[in-house]
């Protein structure tokens, strides 16, 4: 579209053209002009009029500012709750139409008016209050109070309202009919007062023991939720019970400013009782369960006029207060044991306080290792002051977030005290930890103790890898002859020397490599040229690499590193495809860009390496009929898949090269769970690369044509194919996915697995793999071991993020075992086969 418009755009013309377009007055007009020489009388009159108008306008503005602006009033709503101690709860108070509700509500509003009248700040601006609900205990009332405040005075009223919260202790006052305690109020979130709401809905659910109720957004699951709507669900349980809210689906717009859900530990939207705000998409594999502190909970949902998503569905049930699921603390004894926050790995309830006393055999000390630690909330982003939710170990407060829990605490005696505290607002998933009895004199028997006090195998010390996570195993090292000695005291494996990556952190491993001096640029062919030659329009490197990524995205001479546009021009920008900018000028670098995106928004994940549903919608499971999953593949178009050639080689028993052998599952997440998102297809054609070498795995790539096209959905989408020149630099992070074995020689995964690995320098990889790496192969992995593709992942994607898309960097091909130290996974380099893919598939 952009490119069609181009012809209509304004293009600056030369000075000459301007001259041509100037119109000179005809000579006959000259006389009229002569009569109007100088400003003259008319000019003076116009000047006076304009001046008067300006003065009048300014005076008006000043009068408005000093007089009327004071009268510009702002509507401000406060939500609150308070306990009425001299009343007993009646069932009729649950029904806002009952006469009992209305009578008590009348008394409450009268009393609120009296309370506000005692504060000069509040009485002046108070408009009205409405009671929203009552709940047990004696009676708790939830209300909204409206104020009309002159602009600029809001803070003063907020202060007066918050001092009311403190006043509650001095209540009751003489003459009050209701005895009031525990007043909590705060200003209502302004998004809930949006004037754009056209619909307000309110639902009440009173759960029963041993029964599960369901709440959902309007239209779910058949249609998207409605725009401009504000909905509340007031949830109640019996006294002595608490509410459990479990979301099985949560799919809202990503931006919480537009559409959001808020959950409160209250029956009215009080800011200091908000438990969580949710928007975007949450995978069903991520537990999203909340529990209240009392027998009420409020769920609110607000939507605006744009982008309406499928919505949410949640199950509401009640659990007895004090049940195992919601209690915590106690005495823990023995050599070893576990402890966790209440409801872990679900969100802990607000207003919780627990205390554990750990006691191990005399003469030993307690070592507590956190496996997961998630205690963050707005206002407590850094883990220093811990004024909100925290864990306290022998008096030391811990808070914030450590998703992979590398935290260890050790006691000085055989006893340890652990406390957990959650305040009234914002909850998180909490923690789980293991305690062990250790010998203080030898806290890590036959192992190395990290600074963090965790223990690692002794042979990992000074091996070049940060096994402790705090580098303490790599400091003050005596380097072995086969490693590089960094100036900062670390040792690094020799094969990292001169690989272009600063592994020491102080550059030592890249010194004396015959590389380029400072002020010089290293060309792709390792030649050195002055930095000044970068983007000077001349190919100083000889391979064109000094003319790449120039600020002016100039057209340059084509070579193997430059991106070639449809119009055969070459541009200097690296990886210009589908980045949202028309770099070619003919739109060709932004064509065919419906690829590489998933609906998934990353959110915190507890446990495992399961992928999220729809996170890698191009991932395909290739099944051999009546056997099951054998290989992975990637969707590149509605009819074509890319896989590995070694997946489609016949063996003595199975004709893997025959299309009829296979059935293909698209949109699959869990093996054998064929839900409505999954599409099954047969194959029409299998095209292995003609140069595939089954001894060396060179050219390990194949194409598969489906018997009929698939319709794209949130679960089925193509990955982006990289241009032949696409650069996947060493050290960049890429994703591997598949249902392959979860350890070498192990069994296949049921849920689609994902892992992050890094691209490894080609020559380093070739050294590690004894010279077996051809230019059609790419290496990726984590050289410390432990993360890798494995049997059954073959043919699947190596997905590389670029902007907000994923490109197919590689196809899982082979490796020396799985996840071994210094043995990366080997992938087929897709860029090398871009032309072949185009030739065979047209994609
Ligand atoms: C396989 O057999 C396989 N570690 C795939 C990848 C790797 C090893 C084996 C890489 O399909």
């Amino acid at each position: 579209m952009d490119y069609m418009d181009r012809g209509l755009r304004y293009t600056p013309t030369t000075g000459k053209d301007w001259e041509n377009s100037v119109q000179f007055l005809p000579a006959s007009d000259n006389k009229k002009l002569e009569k109007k020489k100088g400003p003259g009388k008319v000019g003076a009159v116009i000047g006076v009029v304009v001046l008067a108008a300006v003065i009048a306008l300014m005076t008006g503005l000043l009068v408005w500012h000093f007089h009327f602006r004071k009268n510009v009033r702002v509507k401000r709503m406060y939500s609150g709750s308070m306990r009425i101690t001299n009343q007993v709860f009646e069932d009729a108070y649950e029904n806002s139409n009952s006469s009992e509700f209305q009578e008590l509500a009348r008394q409450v509003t009268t009393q609120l008016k009296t309370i506000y009248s005692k504060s000069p700040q509040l009485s002046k601006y108070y408009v009205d209050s409405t009671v929203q609900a009552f709940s047990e205990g004696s009676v708790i009332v939830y209300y909204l109070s409206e104020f009309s405040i002159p602009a600029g005075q809001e803070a003063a009223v907020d202060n007066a309202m918050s001092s009311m919260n403190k006043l509650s202790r001095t209540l009751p006052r003489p003459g009050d009919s209701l005895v009031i305690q525990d007043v909590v109020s705060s200003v209502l979130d302004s998004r809930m007062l949006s004037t754009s709401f056209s619909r307000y809905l309110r639902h009440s659910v009173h759960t029963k023991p041993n029964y599960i109720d369901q709440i959902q957004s309007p239209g779910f699951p058949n249609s998207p939720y409605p725009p401009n709507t504000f909905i509340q669900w007031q949830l109640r349980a019996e006294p002595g019970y608490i509410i459990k809210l479990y979301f099985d689906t949560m799919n809202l717009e990503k931006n919480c400013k537009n559409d959001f859900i808020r959950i409160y530990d209250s029956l009215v939207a009080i800011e200091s009782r908000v438990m969580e705000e949710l928007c975007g998409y949450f995978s069903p594999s991520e537990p999203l369960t909340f529990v209240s502190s009392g027998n009420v909970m409020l769920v609110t949902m607000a939507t605006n006029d744009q982008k309406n998503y499928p919505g949410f569905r949640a199950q509401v049930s009640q659990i007895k207060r004090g049940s195992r699921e919601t209690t915590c603390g106690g005495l823990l004894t023995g050599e070893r044991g576990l402890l966790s926050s209440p409801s872990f790995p679900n969100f802990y309830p607000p207003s919780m306080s627990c205390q554990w006393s750990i006691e191990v055999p005399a003469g030993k000390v307690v070592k507590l290792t956190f496996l997961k630690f998630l205690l963050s909330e707005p206002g407590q982003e850094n883990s220093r002051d811990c004024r909100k939710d925290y864990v306290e170990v022998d008096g030391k407060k811990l808070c914030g977030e450590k998703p992979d829990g590398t935290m260890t605490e050790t006691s000085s005696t055989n006893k340890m005290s652990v406390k957990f505290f959650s305040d009234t607002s914002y909850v998180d998933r909490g923690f789980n930890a293991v305690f062990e009895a250790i010998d203080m004199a030898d806290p890590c028997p036959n192992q190395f103790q990290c600074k963090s006090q965790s223990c690692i195998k002794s042979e990992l010390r000074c091996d070049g890898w940060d096994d402790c996570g705090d580098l303490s195993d790599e400091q003050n090292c005596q380097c072995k002859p086969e490693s590089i000695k960094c100036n900062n005291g670390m040792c690094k494996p020799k094969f990292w020397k001169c690989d272009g990556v600063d592994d020491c952190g102080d550059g030592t491993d890249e010194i004396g490599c015959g590389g380029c001096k400072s002020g010089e640029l290293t060309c792709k062919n390792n030649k050195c040229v002055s930095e000044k030659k970068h983007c000077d329009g001349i190919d100083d490197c000889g391979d064109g690499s000094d003319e790449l990524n120039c600020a002016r995205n100039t057209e340059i001479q084509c070579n193997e590193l430059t991106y070639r546009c449809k119009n055969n021009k070459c541009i200097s920008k690296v990886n210009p495809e589908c980045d949202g900018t028309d770099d070619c000028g003919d739109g060709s670098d932004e064509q065919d860009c419906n690829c590489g995106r998933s609906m998934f928004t990353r959110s915190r994940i507890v446990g495992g390496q399961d992928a999220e549903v729809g996170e890698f919608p191009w991932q395909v499971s290739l099944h051999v009929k009546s056997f099951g999953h054998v290989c992975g593949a990637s969707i590149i178009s509605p009819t074509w898949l890319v896989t590995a050639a070694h997946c489609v080689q016949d063996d003595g028993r199975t004709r893997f090269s025959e299309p009829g052998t296979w059935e293909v599952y698209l949109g699959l997440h869990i093996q054998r769970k064929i839900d409505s998102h999954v599409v099954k297809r047969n194959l029409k054609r299998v095209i292995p690369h003609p140069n595939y070498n089954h001894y060396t795995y060179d050219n390990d790539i194949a194409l598969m044509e489906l018997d009929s096209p698939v319709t794209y959905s949130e679960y089925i989408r193509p990955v982006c194919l990289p241009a032949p020149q696409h650069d996947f630099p060493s050290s960049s992070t890429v994703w591997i996915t598949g249902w392959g074995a979860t350890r070498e020689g192990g069994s296949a995964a049921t849920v689609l697995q994902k892992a992050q690995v890094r691209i490894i320098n080609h020559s380093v990889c070739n050294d590690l793999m004894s010279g077996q790496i051809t230019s059609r192969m790419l290496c990726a992995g984590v050289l410390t071991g432990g993360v890798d593709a494995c049997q059954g992942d073959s043919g699947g994607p190596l997905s590389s993020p670029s902007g907000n898309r994923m490109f197919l960097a590689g196809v899982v091909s082979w490796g020396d075992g799985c996840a071994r130290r210094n043995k990366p996974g080997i992938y087929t380099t897709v860029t090398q086969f871009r032309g072949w893919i185009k030739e065979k598939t047209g994609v």
Side-chain angles (χ1 to χ4, degrees), residues 354-357 368 370 383-386 390-399 409-413 415-420:
C354 326
Q355 177 162 8
W356 293 266
S357 299
L368 185 69
F370 290 94
S383 49
R384 250 168 269 143
D385 46 8
C386 299
Y390 61 83
V391 171
E392 193 179 311
V393 181
D394 281 342
K396 178 180 170 190
K397 280 187 182 170
L398 309 166
C399 59
E409 295 294 329
T410 310
S411 66
S412 50
T413 67
K415 293 194 178 98
M416 180 183 264
S417 145
V418 181
K419 290 178 188 163
F420 167 73

Side-chain angles (χ1 to χ4, degrees), residues 646 788-794 812-815 817-819 825:
H646 83 255
D788 197 5
C790 202
Q791 194 175 23
D793 292 323
S794 283
V812 180
S813 179
W814 64 281
C818 304

Side-chain angles (χ1 to χ4, degrees), residues 444-608:
C444 294
N446 303 321
Q447 290 193 312
F448 173 78
Q449 189 182 22
C450 305
K451 210 168 172 183
S452 64
Q453 296 174 358
S454 52
C455 307
I456 58 161
K457 285 188 199 143
S458 309
E459 59 265 32
L460 301 182
R461 166 115 175 94
C462 296
D463 67 347
W465 309 108
D466 177 16
D467 301 283
C468 283
D470 57 10
L471 277 175
S472 54
D473 57 316
E474 295 302 317
Q475 277 154 356
N476 308 318
C477 292
Q478 291 286 329
C479 298
K480 297 188 193 99
E482 65 271 20
S483 45
I484 315 164
K485 185 168 174 30
C486 306
N487 287 344
N488 58 14
M490 293 206 240
C491 310
K492 292 285 165 189
K494 228 188 195 143
F495 50 78
W496 286 123
K497 184 147 182 74
C498 302
D499 67 347
V501 180
D502 176 11
D503 303 291
C504 284
D506 62 0
T508 331
D509 57 312
E510 296 302 312
I511 296 173
C513 300
C516 305
K517 297 198 266 321
S518 83
E520 285 188 332
L521 188 100
T522 311
C523 307
K524 281 258 173 197
N525 57 13
N526 288 329
K527 207 176 140 183
C528 303
V529 297
S530 161
E531 262 172 12
K532 295 194 189 112
K533 309 248 171 182
H534 185 212
C535 300
D536 66 353
I538 301 160
D539 175 10
D540 303 280
C541 284
D543 62 359
S545 54
D546 57 315
E547 296 305 313
L548 291 178
N549 256 350
C550 302
R552 290 175 297 116
N553 191 25
T554 40
E555 182 190 332
I556 57 169
Q557 215 182 352
C558 299
N559 63 35
E560 62 185 30
L561 300 175
T562 53
Y563 181 85
R564 188 185 282 272
C565 304
K566 264 248 166 75
N567 56 17
N568 274 330
K569 287 180 184 162
C570 289
I571 53 173
S572 81
K573 190 177 195 177
V574 175
N575 304 343
E577 325 98 272
C578 303
D579 67 351
T581 312
D582 172 11
D583 301 292
C584 283
D586 64 357
S588 57
D589 57 311
E590 296 301 315
Q591 264 170 14
D592 305 320
C593 289
N594 177 21
C595 61
R597 291 215 211 195
S598 71
M599 61 161 172
F600 184 76
T601 31
R602 202 155 302 285
S603 55
R604 219 166 33 219
I605 295 152
V606 173

Side-chain angles (χ1 to χ4, degrees), residues 759-770:
I759 304 245
I760 289 161
N761 175 292
H762 200 266
S763 67
V764 166
C765 183
N766 201 28
D767 288 349
L768 291 170
M769 302 303 285
S770 324

Side-chain angles (χ1 to χ4, degrees), residues 44-63:
V45 170
I46 290 171
V48 170
V49 170
V50 169
L51 190 70
V54 169
I55 290 170
L57 186 68
M58 290 195 43
T59 315
L61 278 173
L62 287 171
V63 168

Side-chain angles (χ1 to χ4, degrees), residues 665-838:
Y665 288 89
L666 306 102
L668 186 72
H669 184 62
I670 301 175
Q671 290 289 343
R672 295 183 295 281
K673 187 171 170 226
I674 312 301
D675 59 25
S676 59
H677 312 316
V678 179
V679 171
K680 191 178 118 188
R681 282 281 183 277
N682 291 320
L683 293 183
K684 197 197 268 182
R685 244 188 321 167
V686 174
I687 312 175
H689 196 277
N691 301 337
Y692 168 66
N693 180 327
H694 81 272
Y695 295 109
T696 61
Y697 279 56
D698 206 7
N699 303 298
D700 188 11
I701 191 165
L703 296 163
M704 289 178 159
E705 189 179 9
L706 305 180
D707 61 349
S708 63
V710 283
T711 308
Y712 291 154
S713 70
E714 291 192 326
Y715 309 91
I716 301 176
R717 278 184 202 174
V719 65
C720 296
L721 280 173
Q725 311 79 11
H726 197 108
D727 188 29
F728 296 104
S730 296
S731 301
S732 62
T733 328
V734 283
W735 288 94
I736 46 176
T737 44
W739 290 272
T742 46
R743 62 192 159 77
E744 194 175 325
S747 53
T750 313
V751 179
L752 179 65
Q753 299 292 297
K754 64 171 180 187
Q756 251 184 328
V757 289
R758 282 165 181 259
I759 304 245
I760 289 161
N761 175 292
H762 200 266
S763 67
V764 166
C765 183
N766 201 28
D767 288 349
L768 291 170
M769 302 303 285
S770 324
Q772 300 176 75
I773 308 301
T774 70
S775 62
R776 274 85 47 198
M777 297 175 192
L778 184 142
C779 308
V782 175
L783 292 178
T784 31
V787 189
D788 197 5
C790 202
Q791 194 175 23
D793 292 323
S794 283
L798 178 74
S799 307
S800 168
S802 179
N804 50 14
R805 295 174 193 280
M806 290 272 206
F807 284 80
L808 186 67
V811 175
V812 180
S813 179
W814 64 281
D816 189 351
C818 304
R820 296 185 191 171
R821 219 171 164 81
N822 294 336
K823 294 294 171 197
I826 315 301
Y827 300 80
T828 315
T829 315
V830 174
T831 50
Q832 295 274 356
F833 299 95
R834 187 65 192 89
W836 177 72
I837 295 171
K838 178 89 188 164

